[in-house]
Amino acid sequence: MSTLQEAPQDRILTVPNVLSLARLLGVPLFLWLVLIEADWWALGLLVFAGLSDWLDGKLARAFNQTSKLGMVLDPAADRLYILATLVGLTIRDIIPLWLVLALVAREVAILPIAPIVRRLGYGGTLPVHFIGKAATMCLLYSFPLLLLGDHDGGAGTAARVVGWAFAGWGTALYWWAAVLYWVQTRQLLLAGRASPPPASGPGPASRTGDPGAEPPAGDQKGAETPR
């Protein structure tokens, strides 16, 4: 029995995809709740988003329901929640502009990776690093705590302190993941230059000589764009 993970399928209607889609549809609702200062409802929705993010990955791996659509929906939902939270908390003066610029700059820094990897013949996919997932989770933990920290009292003060700790770690790990993605992309570029052109014949050949090869490193769940 093979221990290799099966390639993502073109399936659409799977439980992980439904969870990712539900999380995605909750983004505008979450932003509206933050802007009208319905903080407890916003926190509840953010908790649901975090739990569903963990659950859809677990289910996809446990029941072999990974799909190309899921690879797009999952990171897209995470990014949109982070963006919506940044917009809402910045408008309410809960977080400073420099934090927003640091996170947006990181996204801009990894934008060229997908077309480069696609040009190398890997279909634009790059496996997700654990550090990228950890950075996303730190940021998703930090934002509800910072939102809670906008309220008075001892609980608000404690939430603000812990929230800023998560925000600091999340931002640092986010940039660290970006550096690792560029290191991985450079390795692929060097491997592509060192390999001879693919031989003509039936079926595509990988640049590394392995017809089924995928980019090295990272979580095998993958993503259309790295986290």
Side-chain angles (χ1 to χ4, degrees):
M1 179 170 149
S2 175
T3 59
L4 292 176
Q5 187 172 6
E6 292 186 19
Q9 304 299 315
D10 290 324
R11 292 172 292 186
I12 294 177
L13 191 59
T14 65
V15 174
N17 286 353
V18 170
L19 287 173
S20 293
L21 182 60
R23 191 162 75 254
L24 198 60
L25 293 175
V27 172
L29 175 60
F30 170 74
L31 178 58
W32 178 71
L33 290 171
V34 171
L35 293 178
I36 67 171
E37 300 189 18
D39 292 348
W40 290 109
W41 286 102
L43 287 170
L45 184 56
L46 204 57
V47 168
F48 163 76
L51 289 175
S52 66
D53 184 33
W54 171 81
L55 184 60
D56 66 17
K58 279 286 190 182
L59 292 175
R61 289 186 291 272
F63 298 103
N64 191 29
Q65 291 188 345
T66 57
S67 66
K68 294 178 181 178
L69 178 62
M71 289 181 175
V72 175
L73 289 179
D74 188 52
D78 289 342
R79 278 188 170 81
L80 286 175
Y81 267 105
I82 291 174
L83 177 62
T85 310
L86 288 174
V87 170
L89 298 189
T90 303
I91 290 174
R92 286 181 53 179
D93 279 332
I94 295 176
I95 61 174
L97 186 58
W98 65 261
L99 179 60
V100 179
L101 294 177
L103 295 175
V104 170
R106 185 271 189 185
E107 292 299 315
V108 173
I110 64 170
L111 275 179
I113 290 179
I116 291 173
V117 173
R118 190 176 296 114
R119 192 164 61 248
L120 290 172
Y122 290 104
T125 60
L126 197 62
V128 175
H129 280 286
F130 170 76
I131 290 174
K133 287 289 285 185
T136 301
M137 292 309 297
C138 282
L139 292 172
L140 290 177
Y141 281 133
S142 72
F143 294 141
L145 289 169
L146 292 174
L147 187 60
L148 186 60
D150 193 44
H151 297 266
D152 296 328
T157 301
R160 189 160 54 249
V161 171
V162 177
W164 273 111
F166 272 118
W169 275 106
T171 303
L173 290 174
Y174 220 41
W175 274 99
W176 185 7
V179 171
L180 291 177
Y181 290 130
W182 272 111
V183 169
Q184 184 178 348
T185 303
R186 181 176 179 272
Q187 291 172 346
L188 294 175
L189 282 168
L190 293 176
R193 290 170 183 168
S195 300
S200 59
S206 167
R207 289 186 181 270
T208 59
D210 179 1
E214 288 293 329
D219 188 325
Q220 291 302 311
K221 183 178 177 183
E224 187 63 23
T225 310
R227 292 178 189 266

